Amino acid sequence: MISFKNFALRRGERLLLSEMDLTMHAGWRVGVVGRNGTGKSSLFAAVRGEVEADKGDLDLPNRLRLASIAQEMPSLPDPAIDFVLGGDAAVAAVLKAEADALAAEDWEAVADVHMRMAEVGAYDAGARAGKLLHGLGFPAETHQRAVATFSGGWRVRLNLARALMTPSDMLLLDEPTNHLDLDAVLWLEQWLLKYPGTLLLISHDREFLDNVCTHTLHLHGGKAKLYSGDYTSFERQRSEQLRLQQITHEKSQAEKAHLQKFIDRFKASAAKAKQAQSRVKRLAKMADTEAVRAEREVQIDFPAPVKLPHALLRINHGTCGYPTADGRVVILDNVGFGLEAGDRIGLLGPNGAGKSTLVKTLVGELQLLAGERYAHPDLRIGYFAQHTVESLVAGTSPIDHLREISPTASIQSFRDFLGKWSFPGDRAFESIDGFSGGERARLALALIAWLQPNVLLLDEPTNHLDLEMREALAEALSDFAGAIVLVSHDRHLIGLVSDTFWRVSDGVVIPFDGDLDEYAAWLRARGNAGELRTPPPVKAAAPAAAAPAASRPKANPHKLQKAEGRVAELEQALSEIDGALADPGTYADPDKATTLGQRQAALRAELEQAEGDLLALYEAA
């Protein structure tokens, strides 16, 4: 149990938190949310004992074992797997003792060490560390590579793996998904659901928060309020509170109308694709949250393209890769990929499989090694790469960046435009040196929008964005008339924006016939099988991949009916609990609310498994 009593925290002259009184119980998984600058990371520092409260008390259990992701970037000669094993100090110590005893040929010491190895679980520690590395995307051949040879993003993953390896009663994770691909995010989600201790999690990924958390701690205006349930439940509860406070009725109604238009647009196409059904499910979760959305300060807009031809961009029989001094490195082969007006394509696949290579080839930043790239004469690309934010010019203002793009445009037109991207008044003239990572990312997106592109190629655009900005981006992209190719580990964003998905893996690019839920089920099935397999392609794309009908096992109709009934039963039970948690009266009895929140999390996990089982039966039918 962790308790805050009249807790207050300052950063310099600024009061971050005050009068914080709440208790979090063992086994809770708490999502810590709030705008940037509200004190989330400072709260974590206080729990770790790195900063002291300015007022009040923070009570932690005696002998609490605490684990968190180290902030420093390790540059060590140690093999990756040894670095991860080092997260368990007892295991690392006994393995070193064993090595020393063997080197000294002290067989009595070796016998003593082996007894201790059994006590601390050292015999299977290497397998556990390897499983963590595999789940976070490290191929087996990299486990013995020196830590220093990995790039910064991969070292962050190593820090995460080391934290997960550390025996702990409480785990603090600050933006653990920022440097992960979607495959690794889905794996981490399953790992955390099995974690027996208390979890405090800072994340801007609402799907991740929804699927992992039993409670939500909201930091706002110097106050902290604990809600029972996941992020969507929190939004509904807060919306009800704001409604009862009579937050600007007209603004709320306007937002509701916008959201309804957003939903209606995609419901109309629900009969055309599974992806639309998936999108409707995600939008349904956002129902009754208009007040929270109306409260949001950030609103963004992508202007209509200057011209919008139908056939925009295409690669035929393409070989994508990199030329080298002694030849070439092929990443993707025989690529046939096209973009037409209105296309919304999400790219799936692990880091390193070639998603960014494909995007760079579409942009024209990388030349094809073979094949042809066709671009319409009126093509205008808006490209957001993972390095785009870092390429902003230090010491200059948003106005300076726009003036560099359009030297003859008026200052007033710049100011009007930047105001729509939440850089009003003098903010447009401030140096970006004082901007947060989220503000810089927003500026980078604004510079793209200024160009009025008809194709948006977005490679991980959310890494620096908070939840409010991600919501605003999803809505802006939903209204964009041109074509979109999106790479993102944020399932909420990619699930709302994308109409179709393509899998980039094993050197090929193929359509994925399914939605994100089916992709998650396929990943779990692949993990259970312990091997990498190509997911089911669209039937027309690769008929040779289908097994002959006579050799394919048929699904048992009774099992199929039972599985469908189980999914319906769980969906009904989950719907009833969602309804109860949306009722403000529920929270008059905190114990009841807590029980409902825990039951909700358990039902979600059961439903996910049941849907995966049902999908497997459908594929066998």
Side-chain angles (χ1 to χ4, degrees), residues 385-428:
Q386 297 182 46
H387 58 75
T388 298
V389 175
E390 286 71 27
S391 67
L392 295 174
V393 182
T396 61
S397 69
I399 289 280
D400 293 332
H401 281 84
L402 284 176
R403 188 185 287 116
E404 184 69 23
I405 298 172
S406 302
T408 61
S410 70
I411 294 295
Q412 189 58 50
S413 66
F414 292 154
R415 297 187 67 169
D416 292 344
F417 176 78
L418 289 169
K420 294 179 181 178
W421 283 78
S422 297
F423 295 107
D426 293 340
R427 290 284 284 163

Short mmCIF file of all heavy atoms in Angstrom, two decimals, residues 385-428:
data_model
loop_
_atom_site.label_atom_id
_atom_site.label_comp_id
_atom_site.label_asym_id
_atom_site.label_seq_id
_atom_site.Cartn_x
_atom_site.Cartn_y
_atom_site.Cartn_z
N ALA A 385 9.14 12.19 -40.24
CA ALA A 385 10.02 11.07 -39.91
C ALA A 385 10.35 11.12 -38.43
O ALA A 385 10.08 12.10 -37.74
CB ALA A 385 11.29 11.16 -40.75
N GLN A 386 10.96 10.05 -37.95
CA GLN A 386 11.31 9.99 -36.53
C GLN A 386 12.36 11.03 -36.16
O GLN A 386 12.51 11.37 -35.00
CB GLN A 386 11.78 8.58 -36.17
CG GLN A 386 10.67 7.54 -36.38
CD GLN A 386 11.10 6.14 -35.97
OE1 GLN A 386 11.68 5.95 -34.93
NE2 GLN A 386 10.81 5.16 -36.81
N HIS A 387 13.08 11.58 -37.16
CA HIS A 387 14.10 12.60 -36.88
C HIS A 387 13.59 14.02 -37.16
O HIS A 387 14.34 14.98 -37.01
CB HIS A 387 15.35 12.34 -37.74
CG HIS A 387 15.07 12.33 -39.22
ND1 HIS A 387 14.84 13.47 -39.95
CD2 HIS A 387 14.96 11.29 -40.09
CE1 HIS A 387 14.61 13.14 -41.21
NE2 HIS A 387 14.67 11.83 -41.33
N THR A 388 12.33 14.15 -37.58
CA THR A 388 11.82 15.46 -38.00
C THR A 388 11.89 16.49 -36.87
O THR A 388 12.28 17.64 -37.09
CB THR A 388 10.37 15.34 -38.51
OG1 THR A 388 10.35 14.47 -39.64
CG2 THR A 388 9.82 16.68 -38.91
N VAL A 389 11.50 16.09 -35.67
CA VAL A 389 11.48 17.03 -34.55
C VAL A 389 12.89 17.54 -34.27
O VAL A 389 13.10 18.73 -34.01
CB VAL A 389 10.89 16.36 -33.29
CG1 VAL A 389 10.99 17.28 -32.09
CG2 VAL A 389 9.43 15.98 -33.54
N GLU A 390 13.89 16.63 -34.33
CA GLU A 390 15.27 17.02 -34.05
C GLU A 390 15.83 17.96 -35.12
O GLU A 390 16.82 18.66 -34.89
CB GLU A 390 16.16 15.78 -33.93
CG GLU A 390 15.97 14.99 -32.64
CD GLU A 390 14.66 14.25 -32.57
OE1 GLU A 390 14.12 13.90 -33.65
OE2 GLU A 390 14.15 14.03 -31.45
N SER A 391 15.21 17.99 -36.30
CA SER A 391 15.73 18.83 -37.39
C SER A 391 15.26 20.28 -37.32
O SER A 391 15.69 21.11 -38.11
CB SER A 391 15.31 18.23 -38.75
OG SER A 391 13.91 18.32 -38.93
N LEU A 392 14.39 20.60 -36.36
CA LEU A 392 13.99 22.00 -36.18
C LEU A 392 15.23 22.82 -35.78
O LEU A 392 16.10 22.35 -35.06
CB LEU A 392 12.92 22.11 -35.10
CG LEU A 392 11.56 21.45 -35.43
CD1 LEU A 392 10.64 21.50 -34.21
CD2 LEU A 392 10.90 22.11 -36.63
N VAL A 393 15.28 24.06 -36.23
CA VAL A 393 16.49 24.88 -36.08
C VAL A 393 16.50 25.57 -34.71
O VAL A 393 15.59 26.34 -34.38
CB VAL A 393 16.58 25.94 -37.19
CG1 VAL A 393 17.86 26.76 -37.06
CG2 VAL A 393 16.53 25.26 -38.56
N ALA A 394 17.53 25.28 -33.93
CA ALA A 394 17.65 25.86 -32.59
C ALA A 394 17.76 27.38 -32.68
O ALA A 394 18.32 27.93 -33.63
CB ALA A 394 18.87 25.29 -31.87
N GLY A 395 17.21 28.07 -31.68
CA GLY A 395 17.32 29.53 -31.60
C GLY A 395 16.37 30.29 -32.49
O GLY A 395 16.41 31.52 -32.53
N THR A 396 15.49 29.58 -33.23
CA THR A 396 14.53 30.25 -34.11
C THR A 396 13.12 30.03 -33.60
O THR A 396 12.87 29.20 -32.74
CB THR A 396 14.65 29.74 -35.55
OG1 THR A 396 14.37 28.33 -35.56
CG2 THR A 396 16.06 29.95 -36.10
N SER A 397 12.18 30.79 -34.15
CA SER A 397 10.79 30.76 -33.72
C SER A 397 9.91 30.01 -34.72
O SER A 397 10.36 29.74 -35.85
CB SER A 397 10.27 32.19 -33.57
OG SER A 397 10.16 32.79 -34.86
N PRO A 398 8.67 29.69 -34.36
CA PRO A 398 7.75 29.12 -35.34
C PRO A 398 7.58 30.01 -36.57
O PRO A 398 7.53 29.52 -37.71
CB PRO A 398 6.44 28.99 -34.55
CG PRO A 398 6.88 28.78 -33.14
CD PRO A 398 8.09 29.64 -32.99
N ILE A 399 7.51 31.32 -36.36
CA ILE A 399 7.39 32.26 -37.49
C ILE A 399 8.60 32.14 -38.41
O ILE A 399 8.48 32.12 -39.64
CB ILE A 399 7.25 33.71 -36.97
CG1 ILE A 399 5.88 33.93 -36.32
CG2 ILE A 399 7.50 34.71 -38.09
CD1 ILE A 399 4.74 34.17 -37.27
N ASP A 400 9.80 32.03 -37.81
CA ASP A 400 11.03 31.90 -38.62
C ASP A 400 10.97 30.65 -39.51
O ASP A 400 11.39 30.69 -40.67
CB ASP A 400 12.26 31.83 -37.71
CG ASP A 400 12.52 33.12 -36.96
OD1 ASP A 400 12.14 34.18 -37.48
OD2 ASP A 400 13.10 33.06 -35.86
N HIS A 401 10.46 29.55 -38.93
CA HIS A 401 10.38 28.31 -39.72
C HIS A 401 9.42 28.45 -40.89
O HIS A 401 9.70 27.97 -42.00
CB HIS A 401 9.95 27.15 -38.81
CG HIS A 401 11.05 26.61 -37.96
ND1 HIS A 401 11.40 27.16 -36.76
CD2 HIS A 401 11.89 25.54 -38.15
CE1 HIS A 401 12.41 26.47 -36.23
NE2 HIS A 401 12.72 25.48 -37.04
N LEU A 402 8.28 29.11 -40.68
CA LEU A 402 7.32 29.31 -41.78
C LEU A 402 7.88 30.27 -42.82
O LEU A 402 7.67 30.09 -44.02
CB LEU A 402 6.00 29.83 -41.22
CG LEU A 402 5.11 28.81 -40.51
CD1 LEU A 402 3.89 29.48 -39.94
CD2 LEU A 402 4.69 27.70 -41.48
N ARG A 403 8.60 31.29 -42.36
CA ARG A 403 9.18 32.27 -43.30
C ARG A 403 10.21 31.58 -44.20
O ARG A 403 10.35 31.92 -45.39
CB ARG A 403 9.83 33.42 -42.53
CG ARG A 403 10.28 34.58 -43.46
CD ARG A 403 11.02 35.65 -42.69
NE ARG A 403 10.12 36.43 -41.87
CZ ARG A 403 10.15 36.46 -40.53
NH1 ARG A 403 11.04 35.72 -39.88
NH2 ARG A 403 9.33 37.22 -39.85
N GLU A 404 10.92 30.59 -43.66
CA GLU A 404 11.90 29.84 -44.45
C GLU A 404 11.21 29.07 -45.57
O GLU A 404 11.74 28.94 -46.68
CB GLU A 404 12.66 28.87 -43.54
CG GLU A 404 13.78 28.10 -44.21
CD GLU A 404 14.96 28.98 -44.60
OE1 GLU A 404 15.13 30.07 -44.00
OE2 GLU A 404 15.69 28.58 -45.53
N ILE A 405 10.00 28.56 -45.28
CA ILE A 405 9.25 27.80 -46.28
C ILE A 405 8.59 28.73 -47.30
O ILE A 405 8.60 28.46 -48.51
CB ILE A 405 8.16 26.95 -45.59
CG1 ILE A 405 8.79 25.93 -44.65
CG2 ILE A 405 7.29 26.23 -46.62
CD1 ILE A 405 7.80 25.19 -43.78
N SER A 406 8.01 29.84 -46.82
CA SER A 406 7.25 30.75 -47.69
C SER A 406 7.72 32.18 -47.44
O SER A 406 7.10 32.95 -46.67
CB SER A 406 5.75 30.64 -47.41
OG SER A 406 5.29 29.33 -47.60
N PRO A 407 8.82 32.59 -48.07
CA PRO A 407 9.41 33.91 -47.80
C PRO A 407 8.49 35.08 -48.11
O PRO A 407 8.63 36.16 -47.52
CB PRO A 407 10.66 33.92 -48.71
CG PRO A 407 10.92 32.50 -49.05
CD PRO A 407 9.60 31.82 -49.05
N THR A 408 7.55 34.91 -49.02
CA THR A 408 6.73 36.05 -49.45
C THR A 408 5.39 36.16 -48.73
O THR A 408 4.66 37.12 -48.91
CB THR A 408 6.46 35.97 -50.97
OG1 THR A 408 5.74 34.75 -51.26
CG2 THR A 408 7.77 35.97 -51.75
N ALA A 409 5.05 35.16 -47.93
CA ALA A 409 3.76 35.19 -47.21
C ALA A 409 3.81 36.24 -46.10
O ALA A 409 4.87 36.59 -45.58
CB ALA A 409 3.44 33.82 -46.65
N SER A 410 2.63 36.72 -45.71
CA SER A 410 2.56 37.78 -44.70
C SER A 410 2.69 37.21 -43.29
O SER A 410 2.33 36.06 -43.03
CB SER A 410 1.23 38.52 -44.82
OG SER A 410 0.15 37.68 -44.40
N ILE A 411 3.18 38.05 -42.38
CA ILE A 411 3.31 37.66 -40.98
C ILE A 411 1.93 37.33 -40.39
O ILE A 411 1.79 36.39 -39.61
CB ILE A 411 3.98 38.78 -40.16
CG1 ILE A 411 5.43 38.98 -40.62
CG2 ILE A 411 3.94 38.46 -38.67
CD1 ILE A 411 6.32 37.78 -40.37
N GLN A 412 0.92 38.10 -40.81
CA GLN A 412 -0.42 37.86 -40.26
C GLN A 412 -0.94 36.48 -40.65
O GLN A 412 -1.59 35.80 -39.86
CB GLN A 412 -1.39 38.94 -40.73
CG GLN A 412 -2.76 38.89 -40.04
CD GLN A 412 -2.64 39.03 -38.53
OE1 GLN A 412 -1.99 39.94 -38.05
NE2 GLN A 412 -3.26 38.12 -37.80
N SER A 413 -0.64 36.07 -41.89
CA SER A 413 -1.09 34.73 -42.32
C SER A 413 -0.38 33.66 -41.50
O SER A 413 -0.99 32.65 -41.14
CB SER A 413 -0.83 34.52 -43.82
OG SER A 413 0.57 34.50 -44.11
N PHE A 414 0.89 33.89 -41.18
CA PHE A 414 1.61 32.95 -40.32
C PHE A 414 0.95 32.88 -38.94
O PHE A 414 0.74 31.81 -38.38
CB PHE A 414 3.08 33.37 -40.15
CG PHE A 414 3.91 33.26 -41.41
CD1 PHE A 414 5.03 34.07 -41.58
CD2 PHE A 414 3.59 32.36 -42.42
CE1 PHE A 414 5.81 33.98 -42.72
CE2 PHE A 414 4.36 32.26 -43.56
CZ PHE A 414 5.48 33.08 -43.72
N ARG A 415 0.65 34.07 -38.38
CA ARG A 415 0.07 34.12 -37.03
C ARG A 415 -1.30 33.45 -37.00
O ARG A 415 -1.62 32.73 -36.05
CB ARG A 415 -0.03 35.57 -36.55
CG ARG A 415 1.31 36.25 -36.40
CD ARG A 415 1.21 37.62 -35.77
NE ARG A 415 0.78 37.52 -34.37
CZ ARG A 415 0.80 38.54 -33.51
NH1 ARG A 415 1.25 39.73 -33.91
NH2 ARG A 415 0.40 38.38 -32.27
N ASP A 416 -2.10 33.70 -38.02
CA ASP A 416 -3.44 33.08 -38.08
C ASP A 416 -3.31 31.55 -38.12
O ASP A 416 -4.04 30.83 -37.43
CB ASP A 416 -4.20 33.57 -39.31
CG ASP A 416 -4.58 35.04 -39.20
OD1 ASP A 416 -4.52 35.58 -38.08
OD2 ASP A 416 -4.92 35.63 -40.24
N PHE A 417 -2.38 31.08 -38.94
CA PHE A 417 -2.21 29.63 -39.08
C PHE A 417 -1.69 29.02 -37.79
O PHE A 417 -2.20 27.99 -37.32
CB PHE A 417 -1.24 29.35 -40.24
CG PHE A 417 -0.91 27.90 -40.42
CD1 PHE A 417 -1.80 27.04 -41.04
CD2 PHE A 417 0.29 27.38 -39.93
CE1 PHE A 417 -1.50 25.69 -41.19
CE2 PHE A 417 0.60 26.03 -40.08
CZ PHE A 417 -0.31 25.19 -40.72
N LEU A 418 -0.66 29.62 -37.20
CA LEU A 418 -0.07 29.06 -35.98
C LEU A 418 -1.05 29.09 -34.81
O LEU A 418 -1.00 28.23 -33.93
CB LEU A 418 1.22 29.82 -35.61
CG LEU A 418 2.40 29.57 -36.55
CD1 LEU A 418 3.52 30.56 -36.29
CD2 LEU A 418 2.93 28.14 -36.38
N GLY A 419 -1.96 30.07 -34.81
CA GLY A 419 -2.98 30.11 -33.77
C GLY A 419 -3.86 28.86 -33.79
O GLY A 419 -4.28 28.37 -32.74
N LYS A 420 -4.12 28.33 -34.99
CA LYS A 420 -4.93 27.11 -35.12
C LYS A 420 -4.17 25.88 -34.59
O LYS A 420 -4.79 24.85 -34.34
CB LYS A 420 -5.31 26.88 -36.58
CG LYS A 420 -6.23 27.94 -37.16
CD LYS A 420 -6.54 27.67 -38.62
CE LYS A 420 -7.45 28.73 -39.20
NZ LYS A 420 -7.71 28.50 -40.65
N TRP A 421 -2.86 26.00 -34.47
CA TRP A 421 -2.05 24.89 -33.97
C TRP A 421 -1.58 25.17 -32.54
O TRP A 421 -0.57 24.64 -32.09
CB TRP A 421 -0.86 24.65 -34.90
CG TRP A 421 -1.25 23.93 -36.14
CD1 TRP A 421 -1.86 24.44 -37.24
CD2 TRP A 421 -1.11 22.53 -36.40
NE1 TRP A 421 -2.10 23.47 -38.18
CE2 TRP A 421 -1.64 22.28 -37.69
CE3 TRP A 421 -0.57 21.47 -35.68
CZ2 TRP A 421 -1.66 21.01 -38.25
CZ3 TRP A 421 -0.58 20.20 -36.25
CH2 TRP A 421 -1.12 19.98 -37.51
N SER A 422 -2.33 26.01 -31.84
CA SER A 422 -2.08 26.33 -30.42
C SER A 422 -0.74 27.00 -30.18
O SER A 422 -0.07 26.74 -29.18
CB SER A 422 -2.20 25.06 -29.56
OG SER A 422 -3.51 24.55 -29.62
N PHE A 423 -0.35 27.89 -31.11
CA PHE A 423 0.78 28.79 -30.88
C PHE A 423 0.25 30.23 -31.04
O PHE A 423 0.59 30.93 -32.00
CB PHE A 423 1.91 28.53 -31.89
CG PHE A 423 2.56 27.19 -31.75
CD1 PHE A 423 2.33 26.18 -32.68
CD2 PHE A 423 3.39 26.92 -30.67
CE1 PHE A 423 2.93 24.94 -32.56
CE2 PHE A 423 3.99 25.66 -30.54
CZ PHE A 423 3.76 24.67 -31.47
N PRO A 424 -0.60 30.68 -30.12
CA PRO A 424 -1.25 31.98 -30.29
C PRO A 424 -0.34 33.14 -29.87
O PRO A 424 0.64 32.96 -29.13
CB PRO A 424 -2.44 31.89 -29.34
CG PRO A 424 -1.94 31.00 -28.23
CD PRO A 424 -1.02 30.00 -28.88
N GLY A 425 -0.67 34.32 -30.35
CA GLY A 425 -0.02 35.54 -29.89
C GLY A 425 1.49 35.49 -29.97
O GLY A 425 2.09 35.10 -30.98
N ASP A 426 2.13 35.87 -28.84
CA ASP A 426 3.59 35.94 -28.80
C ASP A 426 4.27 34.59 -28.86
O ASP A 426 5.47 34.51 -29.12
CB ASP A 426 4.03 36.66 -27.51
CG ASP A 426 3.64 38.14 -27.52
OD1 ASP A 426 3.38 38.67 -28.62
OD2 ASP A 426 3.58 38.74 -26.43
N ARG A 427 3.51 33.51 -28.63
CA ARG A 427 4.11 32.16 -28.72
C ARG A 427 4.69 31.92 -30.11
O ARG A 427 5.66 31.18 -30.26
CB ARG A 427 3.06 31.09 -28.41
CG ARG A 427 2.61 31.03 -26.97
CD ARG A 427 3.65 30.39 -26.09
NE ARG A 427 3.70 28.95 -26.23
CZ ARG A 427 4.70 28.19 -25.84
NH1 ARG A 427 5.77 28.74 -25.30
NH2 ARG A 427 4.67 26.87 -25.99
N ALA A 428 4.10 32.53 -31.11
CA ALA A 428 4.58 32.34 -32.49
C ALA A 428 5.97 32.92 -32.69
O ALA A 428 6.67 32.53 -33.63
CB ALA A 428 3.60 32.97 -33.47
#
